[in-house]
Protein backbone atom coordinates (compact mmCIF):
# COMPACT_ATOMS: atom_id res chain seq x y z
CA UNK A 1 0.00 0.00 0.00
CA UNK A 2 2.83 2.35 0.88
CA UNK A 3 4.52 1.65 -2.47
CA UNK A 4 1.27 2.37 -4.33
CA UNK A 5 0.92 5.70 -2.52
CA UNK A 6 4.49 6.62 -3.44
CA UNK A 7 3.91 5.68 -7.08
CA UNK A 8 0.75 7.78 -7.13
CA UNK A 9 2.61 10.74 -5.63
CA UNK A 10 5.39 10.39 -8.20
CA UNK A 11 2.88 10.23 -11.04
CA UNK A 12 1.13 13.33 -9.75
CA UNK A 13 4.43 15.19 -9.51
CA UNK A 14 5.33 14.22 -13.07
CA UNK A 15 1.96 15.46 -14.33
CA UNK A 16 2.40 18.79 -12.54
CA UNK A 17 5.88 19.21 -13.99
CA UNK A 18 4.59 18.43 -17.47
CA UNK A 19 1.92 21.13 -17.13
CA UNK A 20 4.39 23.82 -16.16
CA UNK A 21 5.39 26.19 -18.96
CA UNK A 22 8.89 25.37 -20.21
CA UNK A 23 9.05 27.96 -22.98
CA UNK A 24 12.09 30.22 -22.92
CA UNK A 25 11.46 33.60 -24.47
CA UNK A 26 14.15 35.26 -26.58
CA UNK A 27 14.50 39.01 -26.62
CA UNK A 28 13.90 40.72 -29.95
CA UNK A 29 17.06 42.07 -31.54
CA UNK A 30 17.11 45.62 -32.81
CA UNK A 31 17.83 46.49 -36.42
CA UNK A 32 21.20 47.90 -35.36
CA UNK A 33 22.14 44.59 -33.73
CA UNK A 34 21.04 42.61 -36.77
CA UNK A 35 23.07 44.92 -38.99
CA UNK A 36 26.14 44.49 -36.80
CA UNK A 37 25.73 40.70 -36.86
CA UNK A 38 25.63 40.67 -40.65
CA UNK A 39 29.38 41.24 -40.91
CA UNK A 40 30.04 37.83 -39.34
CA UNK A 41 27.66 36.02 -41.69
CA UNK A 42 29.17 37.69 -44.74
CA UNK A 43 32.72 37.00 -43.53
CA UNK A 44 31.89 33.33 -43.01
CA UNK A 45 30.49 33.14 -46.55
CA UNK A 46 33.60 34.77 -48.04
CA UNK A 47 35.87 32.39 -46.13
CA UNK A 48 33.95 29.41 -47.54
CA UNK A 49 34.33 30.83 -51.03
CA UNK A 50 38.04 31.37 -50.45
CA UNK A 51 38.41 27.77 -49.31
CA UNK A 52 36.58 26.57 -52.43
CA UNK A 53 38.87 28.62 -54.67
CA UNK A 54 42.01 27.29 -52.96
CA UNK A 55 40.78 23.69 -53.19
CA UNK A 56 39.91 24.13 -56.86
CA UNK A 57 43.32 25.61 -57.60
CA UNK A 58 45.04 22.81 -55.72
CA UNK A 59 42.99 20.13 -57.47
CA UNK A 60 43.66 21.50 -60.96
CA UNK A 61 47.40 21.73 -60.32
CA UNK A 62 47.44 18.16 -59.01
CA UNK A 63 46.24 17.00 -62.44
CA UNK A 64 49.55 18.28 -63.85
CA UNK A 65 51.65 16.66 -61.12
CA UNK A 66 51.99 19.78 -58.97
CA UNK A 67 51.05 18.58 -55.47
CA UNK A 68 50.82 21.10 -52.62
CA UNK A 69 49.69 20.37 -49.03
CA UNK A 70 46.20 21.39 -47.99
CA UNK A 71 45.44 24.55 -46.05
CA UNK A 72 45.01 28.24 -46.70
CA UNK A 73 48.60 28.83 -45.54
CA UNK A 74 49.82 27.07 -48.71
CA UNK A 75 47.83 29.26 -51.10
CA UNK A 76 50.94 31.32 -51.88
CA UNK A 77 52.71 28.15 -53.07
CA UNK A 78 49.86 27.42 -55.48
CA UNK A 79 49.97 30.94 -56.86
CA UNK A 80 53.76 30.76 -57.25
CA UNK A 81 53.45 27.58 -59.35
CA UNK A 82 50.92 29.16 -61.68
CA UNK A 83 52.99 32.32 -62.12
CA UNK A 84 56.25 30.43 -62.62
CA UNK A 85 57.00 30.27 -66.38
CA UNK A 86 59.15 27.17 -65.85
CA UNK A 87 56.46 25.18 -64.00
CA UNK A 88 55.59 23.23 -67.15
CA UNK A 89 51.90 24.13 -67.15
CA UNK A 90 50.20 24.51 -70.56
CA UNK A 91 49.47 28.08 -71.59
CA UNK A 92 45.73 27.37 -71.74
CA UNK A 93 45.73 26.05 -68.18
CA UNK A 94 47.77 29.00 -66.92
CA UNK A 95 45.32 31.52 -68.38
CA UNK A 96 42.38 29.72 -66.78
CA UNK A 97 44.05 29.37 -63.41
CA UNK A 98 44.84 33.08 -63.42
CA UNK A 99 41.08 33.66 -63.19
CA UNK A 100 41.00 31.65 -59.96
CA UNK A 101 43.98 33.59 -58.62
CA UNK A 102 42.20 36.88 -59.36
CA UNK A 103 39.08 35.70 -57.54
CA UNK A 104 41.22 34.56 -54.60
CA UNK A 105 42.94 37.95 -54.37
CA UNK A 106 39.57 39.73 -54.45
CA UNK A 107 38.22 37.52 -51.67
CA UNK A 108 41.32 38.15 -49.54
CA UNK A 109 40.85 41.90 -49.93
CA UNK A 110 37.17 41.73 -48.97
CA UNK A 111 37.90 39.56 -45.92
CA UNK A 112 40.60 42.02 -44.86
CA UNK A 113 38.12 44.89 -45.04
CA UNK A 114 35.65 43.01 -42.84
CA UNK A 115 38.40 42.13 -40.35
CA UNK A 116 39.34 45.80 -40.09
CA UNK A 117 35.71 46.70 -39.44
CA UNK A 118 35.44 44.02 -36.75
CA UNK A 119 38.61 45.29 -35.05
CA UNK A 120 37.22 48.82 -35.05
CA UNK A 121 33.96 47.66 -33.47
CA UNK A 122 35.86 45.66 -30.84
CA UNK A 123 37.71 48.79 -29.70
CA UNK A 124 34.47 50.75 -29.39
CA UNK A 125 32.45 48.03 -27.60
CA UNK A 126 32.97 47.98 -23.82
CA UNK A 127 31.84 44.35 -23.45
CA UNK A 128 34.14 43.20 -26.25
CA UNK A 129 37.11 44.94 -24.65
CA UNK A 130 36.53 43.09 -21.39
CA UNK A 131 36.06 39.76 -23.16
CA UNK A 132 39.38 40.19 -24.97
CA UNK A 133 41.15 39.85 -21.63
CA UNK A 134 40.30 36.11 -21.72
CA UNK A 135 43.13 34.03 -23.27
CA UNK A 136 42.13 32.81 -26.72
CA UNK A 137 39.52 35.52 -27.32
CA UNK A 138 40.50 38.19 -29.81
CA UNK A 139 38.57 41.00 -31.52
CA UNK A 140 36.65 38.64 -33.83
CA UNK A 141 35.40 36.29 -31.09
CA UNK A 142 34.75 39.09 -28.59
CA UNK A 143 32.74 41.18 -31.05
CA UNK A 144 30.80 38.12 -32.25
CA UNK A 145 29.82 37.20 -28.69
CA UNK A 146 28.86 40.76 -27.80
CA UNK A 147 26.71 40.96 -30.94
CA UNK A 148 25.21 37.49 -31.41
CA UNK A 149 24.81 36.25 -27.82
CA UNK A 150 21.56 37.08 -25.97
CA UNK A 151 21.67 39.13 -22.76
CA UNK A 152 23.37 37.22 -19.90
CA UNK A 153 20.24 37.44 -17.73
CA UNK A 154 18.56 35.11 -20.24
CA UNK A 155 20.50 32.24 -18.65
CA UNK A 156 20.28 31.18 -15.03
CA UNK A 157 23.91 30.12 -14.79
CA UNK A 158 27.06 29.74 -16.85
CA UNK A 159 26.34 26.10 -17.68
CA UNK A 160 23.08 27.12 -19.35
CA UNK A 161 25.00 29.49 -21.61
CA UNK A 162 27.46 26.72 -22.52
CA UNK A 163 24.53 24.41 -23.22
CA UNK A 164 22.97 27.05 -25.48
CA UNK A 165 26.21 27.05 -27.46
CA UNK A 166 26.18 23.24 -27.70
CA UNK A 167 29.38 22.79 -25.67
CA UNK A 168 28.02 20.33 -23.11
CA UNK A 169 27.99 16.53 -23.43
CA UNK A 170 24.87 14.71 -24.49
CA UNK A 171 23.39 12.74 -21.60
CA UNK A 172 22.22 9.14 -21.89
CA UNK A 173 21.07 8.52 -18.33
CA UNK A 174 18.88 5.64 -17.20
CA UNK A 175 18.42 3.61 -14.06
CA UNK A 176 20.26 6.15 -11.95
CA UNK A 177 23.41 5.79 -14.05
CA UNK A 178 24.68 8.91 -15.81
CA UNK A 179 26.37 8.39 -19.17
CA UNK A 180 27.84 11.37 -20.98
CA UNK A 181 28.50 11.24 -24.70
CA UNK A 182 29.79 13.67 -27.32
CA UNK A 183 28.86 17.34 -27.38
CA UNK A 184 25.30 18.10 -28.40
CA UNK A 185 26.36 20.54 -31.17
CA UNK A 186 23.05 22.34 -30.73
CA UNK A 187 22.59 26.08 -30.39
CA UNK A 188 24.68 28.88 -31.91
CA UNK A 189 26.97 27.17 -34.41
CA UNK A 190 29.07 30.23 -35.28
CA UNK A 191 29.95 31.13 -31.69
CA UNK A 192 30.68 27.50 -30.82
CA UNK A 193 33.08 27.17 -33.75
CA UNK A 194 34.82 30.44 -32.86
CA UNK A 195 35.30 29.44 -29.24
CA UNK A 196 36.79 26.10 -30.27
CA UNK A 197 39.15 27.96 -32.63
CA UNK A 198 40.11 30.27 -29.76
CA UNK A 199 40.74 27.30 -27.49
CA UNK A 200 42.88 25.74 -30.20
CA UNK A 201 45.02 28.89 -30.38
CA UNK A 202 45.65 28.69 -26.62
CA UNK A 203 46.74 25.06 -26.93
CA UNK A 204 49.00 25.75 -29.91
CA UNK A 205 50.68 28.65 -28.07
CA UNK A 206 50.60 27.00 -24.65
CA UNK A 207 54.26 27.86 -24.05
CA UNK A 208 53.30 31.56 -23.72
CA UNK A 209 50.04 31.10 -21.77
CA UNK A 210 50.31 30.81 -18.01
CA UNK A 211 47.03 28.87 -17.90
CA UNK A 212 48.55 26.05 -19.99
CA UNK A 213 51.74 25.50 -18.03
CA UNK A 214 52.43 22.07 -16.43
CA UNK A 215 50.53 21.65 -13.17
CA UNK A 216 47.55 23.77 -14.25
CA UNK A 217 44.12 22.42 -15.16
CA UNK A 218 44.82 22.75 -18.88
CA UNK A 219 48.33 21.35 -18.57
CA UNK A 220 47.05 18.27 -16.75
CA UNK A 221 44.28 17.79 -19.32
CA UNK A 222 46.75 17.92 -22.19
CA UNK A 223 48.89 15.25 -20.57
CA UNK A 224 45.98 12.84 -20.03
CA UNK A 225 43.30 13.46 -22.65
CA UNK A 226 43.08 13.56 -26.47
CA UNK A 227 43.80 16.99 -27.92
CA UNK A 228 40.37 17.46 -29.54
CA UNK A 229 38.60 16.61 -26.28
CA UNK A 230 40.76 19.17 -24.48
CA UNK A 231 39.89 21.81 -27.08
CA UNK A 232 36.16 21.35 -26.54
CA UNK A 233 36.59 21.26 -22.75
CA UNK A 234 38.57 24.49 -22.85
CA UNK A 235 35.96 26.10 -25.13
CA UNK A 236 33.31 25.10 -22.58
CA UNK A 237 35.34 26.72 -19.81
CA UNK A 238 35.84 29.85 -21.91
CA UNK A 239 32.08 30.06 -22.51
CA UNK A 240 31.42 29.95 -18.77
CA UNK A 241 34.02 32.67 -18.15
CA UNK A 242 32.42 34.78 -20.88
CA UNK A 243 29.00 34.52 -19.26
CA UNK A 244 30.44 35.47 -15.87
CA UNK A 245 32.13 38.56 -17.32
CA UNK A 246 28.98 39.64 -19.15
CA UNK A 247 26.72 39.03 -16.16
CA UNK A 248 28.93 40.38 -13.37
CA UNK A 249 31.27 42.79 -15.12
CA UNK A 250 35.01 43.10 -14.59
CA UNK A 251 37.88 41.62 -16.56
CA UNK A 252 39.45 38.18 -16.61
CA UNK A 253 42.15 37.34 -14.08
CA UNK A 254 44.07 34.10 -14.31
CA UNK A 255 43.97 31.86 -11.21
CA UNK A 256 47.66 32.54 -10.57
CA UNK A 257 47.16 36.31 -10.63
CA UNK A 258 43.99 36.09 -8.55
CA UNK A 259 45.80 34.01 -5.93
Amino acid sequence: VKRQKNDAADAEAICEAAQRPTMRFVSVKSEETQGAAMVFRVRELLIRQRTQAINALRGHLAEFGQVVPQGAANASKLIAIVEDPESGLPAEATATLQVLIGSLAHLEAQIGRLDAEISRCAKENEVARRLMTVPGIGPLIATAIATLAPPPETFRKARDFAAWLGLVPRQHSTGGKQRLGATTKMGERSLRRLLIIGANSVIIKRHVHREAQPGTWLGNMLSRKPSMLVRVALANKMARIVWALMARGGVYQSPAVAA
Side-chain angles (χ1 to χ4, degrees):
V1 175
K2 184 177 181 181
R3 180 178 297 178
Q4 291 178 353
K5 291 182 179 179
N6 292 337
D7 293 342
D10 293 341
E12 184 178 356
I14 293 174
C15 292
E16 292 179 358
Q19 294 175 359
R20 295 172 188 167
T22 58
M23 182 179 298
R24 175 180 292 176
F25 295 94
V26 179
S27 58
V28 179
K29 294 183 179 180
S30 63
E31 293 184 356
E32 291 76 11
T33 303
Q34 292 178 341
M38 192 177 299
V39 64
F40 304 102
R41 311 299 186 192
V42 175
R43 183 181 182 275
E44 187 176 354
L45 173 63
L46 294 180
I47 289 178
R48 287 200 302 267
Q49 293 178 350
R50 182 183 66 179
T51 302
Q52 292 174 353
I54 293 174
N55 290 339
L57 188 60
R58 180 176 177 273
H60 291 313
L61 287 177
E63 295 179 358
F64 295 99
Q66 301 288 348
V67 179
V68 177
Q70 296 181 358
N74 297 311
S76 58
K77 298 179 181 179
L78 298 172
I79 296 175
I81 293 175
V82 176
E83 295 178 347
D84 185 6
E86 299 181 357
S87 61
L89 296 176
E92 295 80 1
T94 301
T96 304
L97 294 177
Q98 288 288 351
V99 177
L100 272 179
I101 293 177
S103 300
L104 187 59
H106 178 72
L107 290 171
E108 289 283 1
Q110 296 298 324
I111 293 173
R113 288 179 54 188
L114 295 181
D115 288 341
E117 176 65 18
I118 291 172
S119 298
R120 184 189 64 81
C121 294
K123 295 178 181 179
E124 298 177 354
N125 190 302
E126 186 267 339
V127 176
R129 291 198 303 269
R130 291 192 290 108
L131 293 181
M132 283 191 291
T133 60
V134 180
I137 295 183
L140 174 62
I141 302 178
T143 309
I145 293 174
T147 305
L148 300 177
E153 56 269 16
T154 307
F155 308 98
R156 188 167 52 91
K157 53 186 178 181
R159 189 186 186 281
D160 295 341
F161 179 65
W164 177 78
L165 293 172
L167 285 171
V168 292
R170 189 186 302 274
Q171 295 190 17
H172 302 278
S173 304
T174 180
K177 295 181 179 180
Q178 189 179 34
R179 296 183 176 90
L180 302 180
T183 55
T184 60
K185 295 184 179 179
M186 298 178 182
E188 198 10 272
R189 179 177 60 88
S190 299
L191 292 182
R192 180 177 66 249
R193 182 177 59 85
L194 289 175
L195 282 174
I196 293 177
I197 292 174
N200 185 49
S201 68
V202 174
I203 293 175
I204 291 176
K205 301 178 181 178
R206 53 182 175 269
H207 60 283
V208 299
H209 288 285
R210 184 180 302 179
E211 293 78 5
Q213 298 300 317
T216 61
W217 171 84
L218 182 56
N220 294 333
M221 287 282 289
L222 288 171
S223 63
R224 297 184 292 109
K225 300 293 184 179
S227 58
M228 191 59 207
L229 186 149
V230 178
R231 288 179 176 87
V232 177
L234 180 57
N236 177 285
K237 189 173 184 179
M238 291 168 59
R240 299 186 183 210
I241 294 173
V242 163
W243 180 87
L245 294 182
M246 292 193 300
R248 303 167 187 169
V251 297
Y252 173 78
Q253 291 184 351
S254 64
V257 174

